[in-house]
Amino acid sequence: MRRVIGLILPPTFSFLEMMWRICPALAVGCTVVALVPPASPTPLLLAQLSGELGPFPGILNVISGPASLVPILASQPGIQKVAFCGALEEGRALRRSLAGECAELGLALGTESLLLLTDTADIDSAVEGVVDAAWSDRGPGGLRLLIQESVWDEAMRRLQERMGRLRSGRGLDGAVDMGARGAAACDLVQRFVCEAQSQGAQVFQAGDVPSECPFYPPTLVSNLPPASPSKGSSSVPWPVVVASPFRTAKEALLVANGTPRGGSASVWSERLGQALELGYGLQVGTVWINAHGLRDPSVPTGGCKESGCSWHGGPDGLYEYLRPSGTPARLSCLSKNLNYDTFGLAVPSTLPAGPEIGPSPAPPYGLFVGGRFQAPGARSSRPIRDSSGNLHGYVAEGGAKDIRGAVEAAHQAFPGWAGQSPGARAALLWALAAALERRKSTLASRLERQGAELKAAEAEVELSARRLRAWGARVQAQGHTLQVAGLRGPVLRLREPLGVLAVVCPDEWPLLAFVSLLAPALAYGNTVVMVPSAACPLLALEVCQDMATVFPAGLANVVTGDRDHLTRCLALHQDVQAMWYFGSAQGSQFVEWASAGNLKPVWASRGCPRAWDQEAEGAGPELGLRAARTKALWLPMGD
Amino acid sequence: MFAFANFCTYFRGTYSVWISKIQVNHPAVLRRAEQIQARRTVKKEWQAAWLLKAVTFIDLTTLSGDDTSSNIQRLCYKAKYPIREDLLKALNMHDKGITTAAVCVYPARVCDAVKALKAAGCNIPVASVATGFPAGQTHLKTRLEEIRLAVEDGATEIDVVINRSLVLTGQWEALYDEIRQFRKACGEAHLKTILATGELGSLTNVYKASMIAMMAGSDFIKTSTGKETVNATFPVAIVMLRAIRDFFWKTGNKIGFKPAGGIRSAKDSLAWLSLVKEELGDEWLKPELFRIGASTLLSDIERQIYHHVTGRYAAYHDLPMS
């Protein structure tokens, strides 16, 4: 387990939400320092509670202070993980400022959710779902409402009628639906609604609401297409619902997935097949079918894309506070003088090499992109030397354009690969393993030239093939059911592919590390862009020759070149869904800093070497956990 | 007396547009039902006012095999004087004419009820159940004859039961025709159609049956006979109230709602009033559009009012029996 967790909570959290974050950390044995904003009284209750933990003083500590304390807390030497919940921009700034620090960062950002209303839904019940999501005290933020065009009028009429019956007031009134969330939230909503109106949206407000400041009436905004400035940039604040129409289910998925936010969503449809298709297709962390806002401690809750990738609840919530046994506590690699603007920007030039030893000059390797070897955009190559300093071969000098092409090829291959059955994926991995074994002598001889002993080289090749087979066998079918108290019906915990995964391989173990990283990524349905070992990329390129025949095009793409430059390109790329970096400490820091762009989950080695031949580190469950993301699918049942 | 409403009833066209596409999601309706009970609580003098209002909605009912003229007479007097005079005086409501909405009895007891009410000097209507209450499994001819005889005897409101077998076999047009015939047999009398929702199988069926009953000319739709295993519950009521609202939006006609069976405590009755207020609005909180079918509810309400006025809990014998 990690030892001390720093928890940063926003002012809009209720007591229950705070406990959701604190209890799992305490349960696995960590101690918690919570930084809470001073404006609300809830933290005082939290502090009182922590004071009552007599036998174990100090496991829960509460600091009430402003947001400026956040970087100070995060950079304390004892803290090993910082979990931040709050607004998007603050999360980004925190990610940038914590790059390279000892503490790991988990982000849970944004409060917006989505409700998808199809024409086969029970519209009145879906309207109740909207009330639960946006016009009550249970929902964290505003709602994007997508209504199928054929039921638009019906749905709007019922929504407006229902809004008229909502009551807002002080909580102690006893007969209210929603309260207030402070003057700051009220201002935010005012601004959003004014902007929307100035862009031609229609705003409808109703309900029995006091007119003093912190109370804001339930609001329904329509006629605000995605291209309008206020819609695209910010998330929808509470208590606003922004309604938009869609024509078909496919269009609904495109519109729903067309934002950077990926928190939670609900699908309302009485047709099982359609509901499941939409549920599986939405890129969010939690999907409810014909319900909204259900929560349970045993179900993981989190998000993807810009909602951050930290989880609470369920097994994923516990993994947040654990690390694999045997891995060292994080070392700080903060170098204050790392210039983020110039890191990896220019490619240092390489001297021309001497004549090549061997029967005939081999042509330089190209980049393996889109299923075949291509010439690099820069039309230049770099020499690779073996352990005795002689020229071993030439590989291509990849650049920003090549990275772009590789990521595009990976994206093109992704839908087909993610849609493959686990058996088909396993079959391809096994085919690659067989191809590796056939090529054993070539690979072993190349490894020998790099300085390995023959026996060790052959063992490395065999281990690589075994790893491929093992991951192929571990490819699981989708989802397993969680037991949830109080709900009739299953909740599925699905493991879905991340998307396009960028991997920068370590210098050592040029073949084994490459295969050990490639296999889990592919097994879980991702497509990859890999930067092989800088010392000897030739091993990886040999494997590519087999991949060209065995794999579909674009599944795995290998780009060689200057490692720092390629790392920069990949880390700054907004369409790469996750990145694994096993290079230098400085590179790790840059990667963490740059991931703030699209908040991609990052796994960086911080310059520590990893024993790739050991099972625990080379093929352990950590790789499997990081190669996929979770989605919770709720299916309440009953008729 | 409710005027017979004339509206366009080309059945097949209307059916496909209004009814066939309806979907009701059961778990979501259950969730809404739980919320309603928790979220609208009424206390103190407002609670007393709401309880008095609830009294004016009660159809005081006795439907037992051992009804005779003596207990009918007691019931009718209780309908005229539902709350003890001194309690009403303390609340300053003794001259507002607070009586229950109606008295509900079996067809054979209608004469006794009419006589007793006349003797009490009260003009509240007598409602009679009819059409093979409670199961409805008798021939159509006798069912229609029951209605006619009850109307002759002086009942001004008739509570009919629908033929559940038609719902369960999907014969919606036949159901519509039967209810039309009941409507005709009632003549000027006020028609309440009991859907017996506990036996209809699914909430979607409840919605469809409600719509058909309203289309065929009912003045009220009623949840249950009170004799099924599951009677008036909130989920079923939510579906029926949504049907009433949709019918009002489509035709402009307001149809009434009556839950019956299982409503025994004053707290329940307040929850029912909140439900109707939330779903349909204040216009439906009138005896012409809302009734509660109950028998022991009245004594519980009276005890709550006693407590509100005196601050003490009444014994069983403190309040007059019905």
Side-chain angles (χ1 to χ4, degrees), chain A residues 528-595:
Chain A
V528 289
V529 174
M530 306 199 57
V531 176
S533 148
C536 183
L538 298 169
L539 274 304
L541 293 167
E542 287 281 335
V543 178
C544 290
Q545 295 190 10
D546 288 311
M547 291 204 284
T549 46
V550 169
F551 282 173
L555 190 58
N557 306 282
V558 175
V559 180
T560 48
D562 179 59
R563 188 176 69 190
D564 284 344
H565 180 60
L566 294 176
T567 303
R568 184 191 181 89
C569 299
L570 284 170
L572 289 174
H573 202 298
Q574 298 271 109
D575 212 4
V576 166
Q577 274 71 46
M579 185 152 181
W580 293 351
Y581 182 83
F582 293 93
S584 63
Q586 284 208 334
S588 303
Q589 186 172 337
F590 180 80
V591 163
E592 288 182 359
W593 179 86
S595 72

Coordinates of all heavy atoms in Angstrom, one line a residue, chain A residues 528-595:
Chain A
V528 N -1.3 0.2 -30.7 CA -0.1 0.8 -30.1 C 0.8 1.5 -31.1 O 0.8 1.2 -32.3 CB 0.8 -0.2 -29.4 CG1 0.1 -0.7 -28.2 CG2 1.1 -1.4 -30.3
V529 N 1.4 2.6 -30.6 CA 2.5 3.2 -31.3 C 3.7 3.1 -30.4 O 3.7 3.6 -29.3 CB 2.2 4.7 -31.5 CG1 3.4 5.4 -32.2 CG2 1.0 4.9 -32.4
M530 N 4.7 2.3 -30.9 CA 5.8 2.1 -30.0 C 7.1 2.7 -30.5 O 7.4 2.8 -31.7 CB 6.1 0.5 -29.9 CG 4.8 -0.1 -29.5 SD 4.9 -1.8 -28.8 CE 6.0 -1.7 -27.5
V531 N 7.9 3.2 -29.5 CA 9.2 3.7 -29.8 C 10.2 2.7 -29.1 O 10.2 2.6 -27.9 CB 9.4 5.1 -29.1 CG1 10.9 5.5 -29.4 CG2 8.5 6.1 -29.8
P532 N 10.8 1.9 -30.0 CA 11.6 0.8 -29.4 C 12.9 1.3 -28.7 O 13.2 2.4 -28.7 CB 12.0 -0.1 -30.6 CG 11.9 0.8 -31.7 CD 10.9 1.9 -31.4
S533 N 13.6 0.3 -28.1 CA 14.8 0.7 -27.4 C 15.8 1.5 -28.3 O 16.0 1.2 -29.4 CB 15.5 -0.7 -27.0 OG 16.9 -0.5 -26.9
A534 N 16.3 2.5 -27.7 CA 17.2 3.4 -28.5 C 18.5 2.7 -28.8 O 19.1 3.0 -29.9 CB 17.4 4.7 -27.8
A535 N 19.0 1.9 -27.9 CA 20.3 1.3 -28.1 C 20.2 0.3 -29.2 O 21.1 0.2 -30.1 CB 20.7 0.6 -26.8
C536 N 19.1 -0.5 -29.3 CA 19.1 -1.5 -30.4 C 17.6 -1.7 -30.8 O 17.0 -2.6 -30.4 CB 19.7 -2.8 -30.0 SG 19.6 -4.0 -31.4
P537 N 17.2 -0.8 -31.7 CA 15.8 -1.0 -32.2 C 15.7 -2.1 -33.2 O 14.6 -2.4 -33.7 CB 15.5 0.3 -32.8 CG 16.8 1.0 -33.1 CD 17.8 0.4 -32.3
L538 N 16.8 -2.7 -33.6 CA 16.7 -3.7 -34.7 C 15.9 -4.9 -34.3 O 15.2 -5.5 -35.2 CB 18.1 -4.1 -35.1 CG 19.0 -3.0 -35.6 CD1 20.4 -3.4 -35.8 CD2 18.4 -2.5 -37.0
L539 N 16.0 -5.3 -33.0 CA 15.2 -6.5 -32.6 C 13.7 -6.2 -32.8 O 13.0 -7.0 -33.3 CB 15.4 -6.7 -31.1 CG 16.6 -7.5 -30.7 CD1 16.6 -8.9 -31.4 CD2 17.9 -6.9 -30.9
A540 N 13.3 -5.0 -32.4 CA 11.9 -4.7 -32.6 C 11.5 -4.7 -34.0 O 10.4 -5.2 -34.4 CB 11.6 -3.3 -32.0
L541 N 12.4 -4.2 -34.9 CA 12.1 -4.1 -36.3 C 12.0 -5.5 -36.9 O 11.3 -5.8 -37.9 CB 13.1 -3.2 -37.0 CG 12.9 -1.8 -36.6 CD1 14.1 -0.9 -37.1 CD2 11.6 -1.2 -37.1
E542 N 12.8 -6.5 -36.4 CA 12.7 -7.8 -36.9 C 11.3 -8.4 -36.5 O 10.7 -9.1 -37.4 CB 13.7 -8.7 -36.1 CG 15.2 -8.5 -36.6 CD 15.5 -9.2 -37.9 OE1 14.8 -10.2 -38.2 OE2 16.4 -8.8 -38.6
V543 N 10.9 -8.1 -35.3 CA 9.5 -8.6 -35.0 C 8.5 -7.9 -35.9 O 7.5 -8.6 -36.3 CB 9.2 -8.2 -33.5 CG1 7.8 -8.7 -33.1 CG2 10.2 -8.9 -32.6
C544 N 8.7 -6.7 -36.3 CA 7.8 -6.0 -37.2 C 7.6 -6.8 -38.5 O 6.6 -6.8 -39.1 CB 8.2 -4.6 -37.5 SG 8.1 -3.5 -36.1
Q545 N 8.7 -7.4 -38.9 CA 8.6 -8.1 -40.2 C 7.6 -9.3 -40.1 O 6.8 -9.5 -41.0 CB 10.0 -8.7 -40.6 CG 11.0 -7.6 -40.9 CD 12.2 -8.1 -41.5 OE1 12.3 -9.3 -41.9 NE2 13.2 -7.3 -41.6
D546 N 7.5 -9.9 -38.9 CA 6.5 -10.9 -38.7 C 5.1 -10.2 -38.5 O 4.1 -10.7 -39.0 CB 6.8 -11.7 -37.4 CG 8.0 -12.6 -37.7 OD1 7.9 -13.3 -38.7 OD2 8.9 -12.6 -36.9
M547 N 5.1 -9.1 -37.8 CA 3.8 -8.5 -37.6 C 3.2 -8.0 -38.9 O 2.0 -8.0 -39.1 CB 4.0 -7.2 -36.7 CG 4.3 -7.6 -35.3 SD 3.9 -6.4 -34.1 CE 5.1 -5.2 -34.3
A548 N 4.0 -7.7 -39.9 CA 3.5 -7.3 -41.2 C 2.6 -8.4 -41.8 O 1.6 -8.1 -42.5 CB 4.6 -6.9 -42.1
T549 N 3.0 -9.6 -41.6 CA 2.2 -10.7 -42.2 C 1.1 -11.2 -41.3 O 0.0 -11.7 -41.7 CB 3.1 -11.9 -42.5 OG1 3.9 -12.2 -41.4 CG2 3.9 -11.6 -43.7
V550 N 1.3 -11.1 -39.9 CA 0.4 -11.7 -39.0 C -0.8 -10.8 -38.6 O -1.9 -11.2 -38.5 CB 1.1 -12.2 -37.8 CG1 0.2 -12.7 -36.7 CG2 2.0 -13.4 -38.2
F551 N -0.4 -9.5 -38.4 CA -1.4 -8.6 -37.8 C -2.1 -7.8 -38.9 O -1.5 -7.5 -39.9 CB -0.7 -7.6 -36.9 CG -0.3 -8.2 -35.5 CD1 0.5 -7.4 -34.6 CD2 -0.8 -9.4 -35.1 CE1 0.8 -7.9 -33.4 CE2 -0.4 -9.9 -33.8 CZ 0.4 -9.1 -33.0
P552 N -3.3 -7.3 -38.6 CA -3.9 -6.4 -39.5 C -3.2 -5.1 -39.5 O -2.5 -4.8 -38.5 CB -5.4 -6.2 -38.9 CG -5.4 -6.9 -37.6 CD -4.2 -7.7 -37.5
A553 N -3.4 -4.3 -40.5 CA -2.6 -3.1 -40.7 C -2.9 -2.1 -39.6 O -4.0 -1.9 -39.2 CB -2.9 -2.5 -42.1
G554 N -1.9 -1.4 -39.1 CA -2.1 -0.3 -38.2 C -2.2 -0.8 -36.7 O -2.3 0.0 -35.8
L555 N -2.2 -2.1 -36.5 CA -2.4 -2.6 -35.1 C -1.3 -2.2 -34.2 O -1.4 -1.6 -33.1 CB -2.6 -4.1 -35.2 CG -3.0 -4.7 -33.9 CD1 -4.3 -4.2 -33.5 CD2 -3.2 -6.2 -34.2
A556 N -0.1 -2.5 -34.7 CA 1.1 -2.0 -33.9 C 2.0 -1.2 -34.9 O 2.2 -1.7 -36.0 CB 1.9 -3.3 -33.4
N557 N 2.4 -0.1 -34.4 CA 3.2 0.8 -35.3 C 4.5 1.1 -34.5 O 4.5 1.4 -33.3 CB 2.5 2.1 -35.6 CG 1.1 1.9 -36.1 OD1 1.0 1.6 -37.3 ND2 0.1 1.9 -35.3
V558 N 5.6 1.0 -35.2 CA 6.9 1.2 -34.6 C 7.6 2.3 -35.3 O 7.8 2.3 -36.5 CB 7.7 -0.1 -34.6 CG1 9.1 0.1 -34.1 CG2 7.0 -1.2 -33.9
V559 N 8.0 3.3 -34.5 CA 8.7 4.5 -35.0 C 10.0 4.6 -34.3 O 10.1 4.7 -33.1 CB 7.8 5.8 -34.7 CG1 8.5 7.0 -35.3 CG2 6.5 5.7 -35.4
T560 N 11.1 4.7 -35.1 CA 12.4 4.8 -34.5 C 12.9 6.2 -34.7 O 12.4 7.0 -35.5 CB 13.4 3.9 -35.2 OG1 13.2 4.0 -36.6 CG2 13.1 2.4 -34.8
G561 N 13.9 6.6 -33.9 CA 14.4 7.9 -34.1 C 15.0 8.4 -32.7 O 15.2 7.6 -31.8
D562 N 15.1 9.7 -32.6 CA 15.6 10.3 -31.3 C 14.5 10.1 -30.3 O 13.4 10.7 -30.4 CB 15.9 11.8 -31.6 CG 16.4 12.4 -30.3 OD1 17.4 11.9 -29.7 OD2 15.8 13.4 -29.8
R563 N 14.9 9.5 -29.2 CA 13.8 9.1 -28.2 C 13.1 10.3 -27.6 O 11.9 10.4 -27.5 CB 14.4 8.2 -27.1 CG 13.3 7.7 -26.2 CD 13.9 6.8 -25.2 NE 14.7 7.5 -24.2 CZ 15.4 6.9 -23.3 NH1 15.5 5.5 -23.3 NH2 16.1 7.6 -22.5
D564 N 13.9 11.3 -27.2 CA 13.3 12.5 -26.6 C 12.4 13.2 -27.5 O 11.3 13.7 -27.1 CB 14.4 13.5 -26.1 CG 15.1 13.0 -24.9 OD1 14.5 12.1 -24.2 OD2 16.2 13.5 -24.5
H565 N 12.8 13.3 -28.8 CA 11.9 14.0 -29.7 C 10.6 13.3 -29.9 O 9.5 13.9 -29.9 CB 12.7 14.2 -31.1 CG 11.9 14.9 -32.1 ND1 11.4 16.2 -31.9 CD2 11.5 14.5 -33.3 CE1 10.8 16.6 -33.0 NE2 10.8 15.6 -33.9
L566 N 10.7 12.0 -30.1 CA 9.5 11.2 -30.3 C 8.6 11.2 -29.1 O 7.4 11.3 -29.2 CB 9.9 9.8 -30.7 CG 10.6 9.6 -32.0 CD1 10.9 8.2 -32.3 CD2 9.7 10.1 -33.2
T567 N 9.3 11.2 -27.9 CA 8.5 11.2 -26.7 C 7.7 12.5 -26.6 O 6.6 12.6 -26.2 CB 9.5 11.2 -25.5 OG1 10.2 10.0 -25.5 CG2 8.7 11.2 -24.2
R568 N 8.4 13.6 -27.0 CA 7.7 14.9 -27.0 C 6.5 14.9 -27.9 O 5.4 15.3 -27.5 CB 8.7 16.0 -27.4 CG 8.1 17.4 -27.3 CD 8.9 18.4 -28.0 NE 8.2 19.7 -27.8 CZ 8.4 20.5 -26.8 NH1 9.3 20.2 -25.9 NH2 7.7 21.6 -26.7
C569 N 6.7 14.4 -29.1 CA 5.6 14.3 -30.0 C 4.4 13.5 -29.5 O 3.2 13.9 -29.5 CB 6.0 13.8 -31.3 SG 7.3 14.7 -32.1
L570 N 4.7 12.4 -28.9 CA 3.6 11.5 -28.4 C 3.0 12.1 -27.2 O 1.7 12.1 -27.0 CB 4.2 10.1 -28.1 CG 4.5 9.2 -29.3 CD1 5.3 8.0 -28.8 CD2 3.2 8.8 -30.0
A571 N 3.8 12.7 -26.3 CA 3.2 13.2 -25.0 C 2.3 14.3 -25.3 O 1.3 14.5 -24.6 CB 4.3 13.5 -24.1
L572 N 2.6 15.2 -26.3 CA 1.8 16.3 -26.6 C 0.6 16.0 -27.5 O -0.2 16.9 -27.7 CB 2.7 17.4 -27.2 CG 3.7 18.1 -26.3 CD1 4.5 19.1 -27.0 CD2 3.0 18.8 -25.2
H573 N 0.6 14.8 -28.0 CA -0.5 14.5 -29.0 C -1.8 14.3 -28.2 O -1.9 13.6 -27.3 CB -0.1 13.2 -29.7 CG -0.8 13.0 -31.0 ND1 -2.2 12.9 -31.1 CD2 -0.3 12.8 -32.2 CE1 -2.5 12.7 -32.4 NE2 -1.4 12.7 -33.1
Q574 N -2.8 15.1 -28.7 CA -4.1 15.1 -27.9 C -4.9 13.8 -28.2 O -5.9 13.5 -27.5 CB -5.0 16.3 -28.3 CG -4.4 17.6 -28.0 CD -4.7 18.0 -26.6 OE1 -3.9 18.1 -25.7 NE2 -6.0 18.4 -26.4
D575 N -4.6 13.1 -29.3 CA -5.4 11.9 -29.6 C -4.8 10.6 -29.2 O -5.2 9.5 -29.7 CB -5.7 11.9 -31.1 CG -7.1 11.4 -31.4 OD1 -7.8 11.0 -30.5 OD2 -7.4 11.2 -32.6
V576 N -3.8 10.6 -28.3 CA -3.2 9.4 -27.8 C -3.9 9.2 -26.4 O -3.9 10.1 -25.6 CB -1.7 9.5 -27.6 CG1 -1.2 8.4 -26.8 CG2 -1.1 9.5 -29.0
Q577 N -4.5 8.1 -26.2 CA -5.3 7.9 -25.0 C -4.5 7.6 -23.7 O -5.0 7.8 -22.6 CB -6.3 6.8 -25.2 CG -7.6 7.3 -25.9 CD -7.4 7.7 -27.3 OE1 -6.8 6.9 -28.1 NE2 -7.8 8.8 -27.8
A578 N -3.3 7.0 -23.9 CA -2.5 6.7 -22.7 C -1.1 6.6 -23.1 O -0.8 6.3 -24.3 CB -3.0 5.4 -22.0
M579 N -0.2 6.7 -22.2 CA 1.2 6.7 -22.5 C 2.0 5.9 -21.4 O 1.8 6.2 -20.3 CB 1.8 8.1 -22.7 CG 3.2 8.1 -23.1 SD 3.5 9.6 -24.0 CE 5.2 9.3 -24.5
W580 N 2.9 5.0 -21.9 CA 3.8 4.3 -21.0 C 5.2 4.7 -21.4 O 5.6 4.6 -22.5 CB 3.6 2.8 -21.1 CG 2.3 2.2 -20.7 CD1 1.3 2.9 -20.1 CD2 1.9 0.9 -20.9 NE1 0.3 2.1 -19.9 CE2 0.6 0.8 -20.4 CE3 2.4 -0.2 -21.5 CZ2 -0.2 -0.3 -20.4 CZ3 1.7 -1.4 -21.6 CH2 0.4 -1.4 -21.0
Y581 N 6.0 5.2 -20.4 CA 7.3 5.7 -20.7 C 8.3 5.0 -19.8 O 8.2 5.1 -18.6 CB 7.4 7.2 -20.4 CG 8.7 7.8 -20.8 CD1 9.0 8.2 -22.0 CD2 9.6 8.1 -19.7 CE1 10.2 8.7 -22.3 CE2 10.8 8.6 -20.0 CZ 11.1 9.0 -21.3 OH 12.4 9.5 -21.6
F582 N 9.3 4.4 -20.4 CA 10.3 3.7 -19.7 C 11.7 4.2 -20.1 O 12.6 3.5 -20.6 CB 10.3 2.2 -19.9 CG 9.0 1.6 -19.3 CD1 7.9 1.5 -20.1 CD2 8.9 1.3 -18.0 CE1 6.7 0.9 -19.6 CE2 7.8 0.7 -17.4 CZ 6.7 0.6 -18.2
G583 N 11.9 5.5 -19.9 CA 13.2 6.1 -20.3 C 13.8 6.8 -19.1 O 13.9 6.3 -18.0
S584 N 14.3 8.0 -19.4 CA 15.0 8.7 -18.4 C 14.1 9.4 -17.4 O 12.9 9.6 -17.6 CB 15.9 9.8 -19.1 OG 15.1 10.7 -19.7
A585 N 14.7 9.9 -16.3 CA 14.0 10.6 -15.3 C 13.4 11.9 -15.9 O 12.3 12.3 -15.7 CB 14.8 10.9 -14.1
Q586 N 14.3 12.6 -16.7 CA 13.8 13.9 -17.3 C 12.7 13.6 -18.2 O 11.7 14.4 -18.2 CB 15.0 14.5 -18.0 CG 16.0 15.1 -17.2 CD 16.7 16.3 -17.9 OE1 16.7 16.3 -19.2 NE2 17.2 17.2 -17.2
G587 N 12.8 12.6 -19.0 CA 11.7 12.3 -19.9 C 10.4 12.0 -19.2 O 9.3 12.4 -19.6
S588 N 10.5 11.3 -18.0 CA 9.3 11.0 -17.3 C 8.7 12.2 -16.8 O 7.5 12.4 -16.9 CB 9.7 10.1 -16.0 OG 10.4 9.0 -16.4
Q589 N 9.5 13.2 -16.4 CA 8.9 14.4 -15.9 C 8.2 15.1 -17.0 O 7.1 15.7 -16.8 CB 10.0 15.3 -15.3 CG 9.5 16.5 -14.6 CD 10.6 17.3 -13.9 OE1 11.6 16.7 -13.6 NE2 10.3 18.6 -13.7
F590 N 8.9 15.1 -18.2 CA 8.2 15.8 -19.3 C 6.9 15.2 -19.7 O 5.9 15.8 -19.9 CB 9.2 15.8 -20.5 CG 8.5 16.5 -21.7 CD1 8.5 17.9 -21.7 CD2 7.9 15.8 -22.7 CE1 7.9 18.6 -22.8 CE2 7.3 16.5 -23.7 CZ 7.3 17.8 -23.8
V591 N 6.9 13.8 -19.7 CA 5.7 13.1 -20.1 C 4.6 13.5 -19.1 O 3.4 13.7 -19.5 CB 6.0 11.6 -20.1 CG1 4.7 10.8 -20.1 CG2 6.8 11.3 -21.4
E592 N 4.9 13.5 -17.8 CA 3.8 13.8 -16.8 C 3.3 15.2 -17.0 O 2.1 15.5 -17.0 CB 4.4 13.6 -15.4 CG 4.6 12.2 -15.1 CD 5.0 12.0 -13.6 OE1 5.2 13.0 -12.9 OE2 5.2 10.8 -13.3
W593 N 4.3 16.1 -17.3 CA 3.8 17.5 -17.5 C 3.0 17.6 -18.7 O 1.9 18.3 -18.7 CB 5.1 18.4 -17.6 CG 4.8 19.8 -17.9 CD1 4.6 20.8 -17.0 CD2 4.7 20.4 -19.2 NE1 4.3 22.0 -17.6 CE2 4.4 21.8 -18.9 CE3 4.8 20.0 -20.5 CZ2 4.2 22.7 -20.0 CZ3 4.7 20.9 -21.5 CH2 4.4 22.3 -21.3
A594 N 3.4 17.0 -19.8 CA 2.7 17.1 -21.1 C 1.3 16.4 -21.1 O 0.4 16.8 -21.8 CB 3.5 16.6 -22.2
S595 N 1.2 15.5 -20.2 CA -0.1 14.7 -20.2 C -1.3 15.6 -19.8 O -2.4 15.3 -20.0 CB -0.1 13.5 -19.3 OG -0.1 13.9 -18.0

